[in-house]
Amino acid sequence: MKNILEIRDLIVGIDSIPPTWILREANLSIGEGQIVGLVGESGAGKTMVSRVILGFTPEGSRVFGGEIHFCGSKISDLNRDSRPFLLGKEVTYIPQNPMTALNPVQRINDQMTDVLIRYLQLKPRDATKRAVSLLSEVQIHDPEKVLKLYPHQLSGGMRQRVLIAIAFACNPSLVIADEPTTALDVTVQKEILGLIKRMQSSHGTSMLFISHDLGVVSKICDVVNVMYGGQVLETQEADALFSAPSHVYTKALLSATPRYDRPGDLLEPVSDRLVTEMGKTILSWDKRAEACFYK
Amino acid sequence: MFGRYLMLRLLLAIPTIFCVAVIVFVLMRIVPGDPISMMIPPGASPDDIENLREIYGLNKPVLDQFLIWLNGIAEGDLGRSISLKLGVGQLILNRLPATLELVILSMGIAIFLAVTASVAAIRYKDTLVERVLDTFTGVAQAIPDFLWSLLLLLFFGVILPLFPITGRLDPSLSFDPITNFYFFEAIFTFRLDVVWDLLAHLALPSFALAFPLAASLSRVLRGSLSEAMSQDYITLAQVKGYSRLEVITKFALRNALIPTITLSGVQFAFLIGGTVLVEYIFSYPGLGNLAISAVVQRDLPLIQGLILTFAVMFVITNLLIDLSYALINPRLRGR
């Protein structure tokens, strides 16, 4: 299988002395048509991976080592303008919080058709037609009416549907979904997950699905990457990861997550010993890296 | 719905204007200075003075005077100017268009400068451009409009005589307008030479009024622009592939305009105040100039009429601003 995106041993840090390391030799690949999950606790570097791909890294950050490949072409820096793809057309984004992600002073129609007009050169009228069909694809009833509304007139779930429709509008090759269900309540969450999965398979898109929720990831992803401290600790097919995790941290995470299929199991918090252990590993990596880049 | 809102707002404006009328009326009779003593020839007898007082109704108790004045206003009569011997209403109507042209042009220039400067400052954040704009904004705000008048007059009227420095229109141009809205009339009758001359006369006073106004507007606009730039919908716009300039002008600007518009309503009051001195400096025949001569002459009816006019202008502007909120912010519509 061809890979849409490959990240090899990527080291990214904020250029200070000593540097603040954000990604420590992270590896990740996204195969064509796959949904690749990226899980980890806050601060693990999940969002940074998505920002590196999109070209929105914090000020002063720099690539210290490693490679990023998109469809075979190498991306050597973090500069947005040097991306070998059209942002918003070939690579799109589903944000975390649908309540604040739409422009409050623009009608839904204008927020959906702008990319269609910009990238597919559609006439406004044809773009609106396409927006109508996109909205029915994300199961919004009466799409013509919704197009005339402003974001504040829609519920959170409706807004997330609109954002998903925008993300898939130009048939992108990669969609990055950054915790797309975290801000929604559980019943809506399930519908939205199903919807994302359907959209992804009907558009044949590859997807990077970022979440801190193992349960959510297990439902939707083909491959799961577990991140900690800027490193990808384990990459496994979703089924294998949940039945036979290989890394101690993954095991610890799984035994800390409630499971519907095994309701009697006791939950176990991630032990302090393990956290200290992993902290030590990271610290020794940092020492090696500093020795490497600054001497 | 909308019509009812408008009616309500207009009705609510009446008490505001009434309060202004009371304050002005009482104040004008408390401050020292007497219009009669300004107009009598030397050596007039006390009887003559008493006669004059009676003619202008100034011998009656203050409350009676006020009621007579209010009654006049209700009938559309603002009284007669003591110094100019003409109807106050007519005097004001003759001068109002000139001031409106000046105020509208200044406001337009100020808004244009403020928007350009703040968009540029946000676009070129943390660069030399931002620092230069910071300096300019500071200077523009620190220098008051009458001082700007003198500076512009000196540099672009005297040292480099690019613009005329007095009046509204070159008298050698034969232009016989029906209304006093010279500018609009000149445009509609295709008198481009007149339009050009009017603009040349307006240039210095309107820039003098616009500079400090633009500076304070751009401070607020920049603040709200940079706040808007950190919102989630801006991230989405960037990820849609819009350039930084597009993100600012198409997404952030409209969201940031609301606080700026509120401020521009407040600033409008200062702008009207500013016209008084600036018109005087440039001998511009507007309300401000009329106000100064009215004050100097202690022309009570004229001063009252002028301040009432300013109050009405202020109320109308703020009404327009409130209406424009709904235009900009869809969340306020239908309430």
Side-chain angles (χ1 to χ4, degrees):
Chain A
M1 187 172 43
K2 230 179 80 196
N3 280 343
I4 285 273
L5 185 93
E6 262 192 74
I7 293 178
R8 268 187 241 130
D9 298 329
L10 186 67
I11 307 173
V12 173
I14 308 259
D15 211 354
S16 54
I17 298 175
T20 314
W21 303 107
I22 304 173
L23 296 180
R24 300 173 169 93
E25 296 180 359
N27 285 287
L28 180 86
S29 54
I30 302 172
E32 215 164 73
Q34 267 186 337
I35 302 189
V36 173
L38 192 56
V39 283
E41 53 193 70
S42 343
K46 304 175 303 249
T47 301
M48 193 59 191
V49 169
S50 76
R51 301 208 155 219
V52 164
I53 301 169
L54 294 167
F56 288 90
T57 43
E59 214 147 293
S61 47
R62 176 160 89 79
V63 175
F64 284 83
E67 287 175 357
I68 315 167
H69 291 271
F70 181 85
C71 291
S73 44
K74 192 180 161 186
I75 309 173
S76 52
D77 58 30
L78 299 173
N79 186 357
R80 197 182 321 160
D81 301 325
S82 68
R83 290 286 169 276
F85 50 78
L86 265 177
L87 196 61
K89 178 175 189 276
E90 286 159 68
V91 176
T92 59
Y93 178 76
I94 303 175
Q96 182 177 131
N97 190 352
M99 300 311 278
T100 51
L102 289 163
N103 186 355
V105 300
Q106 251 186 337
R107 287 177 203 277
I108 300 297
N109 181 57
D110 301 332
Q111 307 200 41
M112 287 193 73
T113 54
D114 61 346
V115 279
L116 295 168
I117 295 167
R118 200 179 163 92
Y119 297 122
L120 304 183
Q121 278 83 41
L122 294 185
K123 291 198 184 72
R125 200 191 246 179
D126 298 333
T128 301
K129 269 186 209 152
R130 173 127 171 82
V132 167
S133 76
L134 278 165
L135 282 185
S136 17
E137 248 188 280
V138 294
Q139 292 167 333
I140 284 183
H141 302 291
D142 205 352
E144 281 92 351
K145 194 186 135 208
V146 170
L147 281 179
K148 291 194 190 86
L149 299 178
Y150 287 94
H152 72 275
Q153 292 165 306
L154 303 179
S155 68
M158 293 263 270
R159 290 188 216 184
Q160 193 59 298
R161 283 165 200 271
V162 168
L163 287 161
I164 292 168
I166 294 173
F168 283 95
C170 302
N171 287 318
S173 38
L174 175 66
V175 173
I176 296 173
D178 190 358
E179 309 237 10
T181 57
T182 307
L184 303 170
D185 63 63
V186 189
T187 40
V188 183
Q189 210 175 64
K190 193 174 163 230
E191 286 171 27
I192 296 290
L193 280 180
L195 180 68
I196 290 177
K197 180 112 187 161
R198 258 200 315 283
M199 292 294 281
Q200 178 266 343
S201 65
S202 71
H203 286 252
T205 313
S206 310
M207 184 175 240
L208 178 64
F209 192 96
I210 298 170
S211 180
H212 62 261
D213 189 337
L214 280 167
V216 165
V217 167
S218 71
K219 280 203 187 67
I220 188 168
C221 298
D222 303 309
V223 176
V224 179
N225 296 274
V226 180
M227 263 193 109
Y228 185 86
Q231 288 177 319
V232 176
L233 300 180
E234 175 166 9
T235 306
Q236 286 256 32
E237 303 248 320
D239 300 337
L241 184 97
F242 290 99
S243 57
S246 64
H247 198 282
V248 275
Y249 178 66
T250 319
K251 282 180 194 157
L253 270 190
L254 283 173
S255 45
T257 312
R259 291 188 53 170
Y260 301 108
D261 52 341
R262 301 223 293 260
D265 282 12
L266 284 177
L267 298 182
E268 214 178 297
V270 178
S271 74
D272 290 344
R273 206 169 51 84
L274 178 59
V275 172
T276 329
E277 200 95 334
M278 291 178 50
K280 273 187 202 152
T281 325
I282 285 174
L283 217 65
S284 78
W285 187 94
D286 286 4
K287 284 207 181 103
R288 258 187 299 130
E290 271 148 43
C292 200
F293 290 109
Y294 281 90
K295 264 155 211 169
Chain B
M1 181 65 210
F2 181 74
R4 252 186 63 193
Y5 174 73
L6 201 65
M7 281 302 294
L8 189 72
R9 284 299 308 263
L10 286 173
L11 279 176
L12 283 174
I14 292 174
T16 311
I17 291 170
F18 181 78
C19 287
V20 172
V22 174
I23 291 167
V24 170
F25 199 90
V26 173
L27 214 60
M28 286 317 295
R29 276 151 186 79
I30 292 173
V31 292
D34 177 7
I36 304 299
S37 60
M38 302 296 289
M39 58 194 289
I40 46 166
S45 70
D47 278 354
D48 295 338
I49 295 174
E50 209 42 53
N51 269 339
L52 274 170
R53 285 187 173 282
E54 205 169 324
I55 292 172
Y56 289 103
L58 294 170
N59 56 343
K60 295 195 178 79
V62 173
L63 187 63
D64 286 1
Q65 290 185 36
F66 184 62
L67 290 176
I68 292 168
W69 184 55
L70 269 191
N71 197 34
I73 293 173
E75 288 167 9
D77 178 16
L78 289 171
R80 278 175 76 80
S81 156
I82 297 175
S83 60
L84 297 166
K85 317 269 188 299
L86 285 167
V88 168
Q90 195 52 47
L91 279 169
I92 289 174
L93 281 182
N94 283 343
R95 295 291 192 95
L96 182 64
T99 294
L100 280 182
E101 283 178 9
L102 177 62
V103 165
I104 291 169
L105 187 65
S106 311
M107 204 71 183
I109 294 172
I111 289 170
F112 175 79
L113 289 178
V115 169
T116 318
S118 21
V119 167
I122 297 286
R123 167 68 186 80
Y124 298 102
K125 209 176 169 63
D126 301 322
T127 66
L128 189 65
V129 177
E130 193 196 8
R131 255 159 268 149
V132 169
L133 281 168
D134 264 343
T135 315
F136 271 116
T137 317
V139 171
Q141 203 170 18
I143 299 179
D145 43 26
F146 58 87
L147 202 55
W148 273 118
S149 303
L150 296 176
L151 288 172
L152 291 174
L153 199 143
L154 179 65
F155 287 109
F156 299 104
V158 178
I159 296 177
L160 260 178
L162 294 173
F163 297 100
I165 54 172
T166 58
R168 187 181 183 194
L169 188 64
D170 190 341
S172 65
L173 281 168
S174 60
F175 180 59
D176 263 327
I178 313 162
T179 65
N180 276 307
F181 286 97
Y182 288 7
F183 192 75
F184 295 102
E185 207 172 321
I187 285 179
F188 285 121
T189 51
F190 299 106
R191 287 292 304 273
L192 291 184
D193 55 331
V194 175
V195 172
W196 188 245
D197 190 63
L198 283 168
L199 283 178
H201 279 90
L202 278 169
L204 298 183
S206 55
F207 271 99
L209 282 168
F211 280 145
L213 185 62
S216 51
L217 287 180
S218 93
R219 294 243 151 156
V220 175
L221 185 56
R222 244 173 84 179
S224 38
L225 262 181
S226 71
E227 199 197 308
M229 288 302 280
S230 65
Q231 299 293 315
D232 283 352
Y233 55 82
I234 296 297
T235 315
L236 188 73
Q238 285 171 327
V239 176
K240 275 177 169 180
Y242 285 98
S243 71
R244 190 168 166 83
L245 185 63
E246 284 176 309
V247 168
I248 298 170
T249 53
K250 290 185 184 162
F251 293 83
L253 190 57
R254 225 178 118 184
N255 284 289
L257 271 180
I258 295 160
T260 316
I261 287 181
T262 314
L263 178 76
S264 66
V266 179
Q267 291 289 342
F268 186 77
F270 289 100
L271 190 59
I272 294 177
T275 58
V276 174
L277 280 176
V278 172
E279 283 183 8
Y280 187 69
I281 292 170
F282 289 96
S283 313
Y284 187 81
L287 290 182
N289 232 330
L290 190 63
I292 286 197
S293 60
V295 171
V296 170
Q297 301 287 333
R298 301 284 186 277
D299 192 338
L300 298 181
L302 189 52
I303 295 171
Q304 285 156 203
L306 280 166
I307 291 180
L308 209 58
T309 312
F310 289 150
V312 171
M313 278 165 77
F314 187 68
V315 166
I316 291 177
T317 316
N318 279 289
L319 180 62
L320 289 177
I321 280 165
D322 281 0
L323 295 180
S324 74
Y325 286 155
L327 214 66
I328 288 174
N329 189 349
R331 281 164 294 190
L332 295 177
R333 271 174 227 166
R335 273 199 201 161

